[in-house]
Amino acid sequence: QVQLVESGGGSVQAGGSLRLSCKSSGYIMNYRAMAWFRQAPGQEREGVASTAMMSDTAYEDFVKGRFTISKDRAKNTLYLQMSSLKPEDTAMYYCAAGLENGLSLREKEYAYWGQGTQVTVSS
């Protein structure tokens, strides 16, 4: 049973930074792709950033230049470095992993999900 556990969320002022972590119980290089999604209250979950086996990456436009996705194979951990945070970045952030498909920011491509970590950005 694959388990993904997120950490690193918290409260920060606009313009600040946070680094989210996602620890996998399995070897992360077994996944075709991993990604970060987020869901704000009353809104649908949306993709944020994705990385695939060869460490290629994809970002939604609203985080380009501010967020960086990366992974540490030795630690079986996925990261999301978030900088220049805005109040509209406030959401629950989820880590996801998939075995079948490559780089993607679509929810249906991912079979495994973490429980989420809350990020709150105040103005």
Side-chain angles (χ1 to χ4, degrees):
Q1 182 77 14
V2 171
Q3 287 189 324
L4 302 172
V5 180
E6 302 97 333
S7 63
S11 297
V12 64
Q13 289 191 327
S17 299
L18 284 173
R19 188 177 78 158
L20 306 184
S21 300
C22 172
K23 175 73 172 176
S24 170
S25 63
Y27 185 42
I28 64 171
M29 296 311 295
N30 288 334
Y31 305 132
R32 288 289 304 277
M34 297 186 76
W36 288 97
F37 289 79
R38 71 185 187 185
Q39 186 169 23
Q43 298 187 20
E44 294 185 352
R45 190 155 55 185
E46 61 184 359
V48 174
S50 174
T51 182
M53 291 184 73
M54 300 305 293
S55 296
D56 42 332
T57 57
Y59 297 90
E60 285 291 358
D61 286 346
F62 52 77
V63 302
K64 282 182 180 177
R66 300 189 299 124
F67 291 9
T68 303
I69 189 171
S70 63
K71 55 191 175 188
D72 186 325
R73 300 177 185 184
K75 295 182 179 180
N76 284 326
T77 300
L78 179 74
Y79 299 102
L80 184 69
Q81 178 67 48
M82 306 186 295
S83 302
S84 301
L85 283 162
K86 305 175 181 179
E88 52 263 45
D89 294 317
T90 295
M92 185 72 79
Y93 283 71
Y94 298 91
C95 169
L99 297 175
E100 298 183 358
N101 301 292
L103 204 63
S104 174
L105 289 170
R106 294 182 294 180
E107 282 190 64
K108 65 179 184 179
E109 308 291 358
Y110 295 92
Y112 305 107
W113 293 81
Q115 294 300 307
T117 186
Q118 178 68 38
V119 171
T120 302
V121 184
S122 58
S123 57

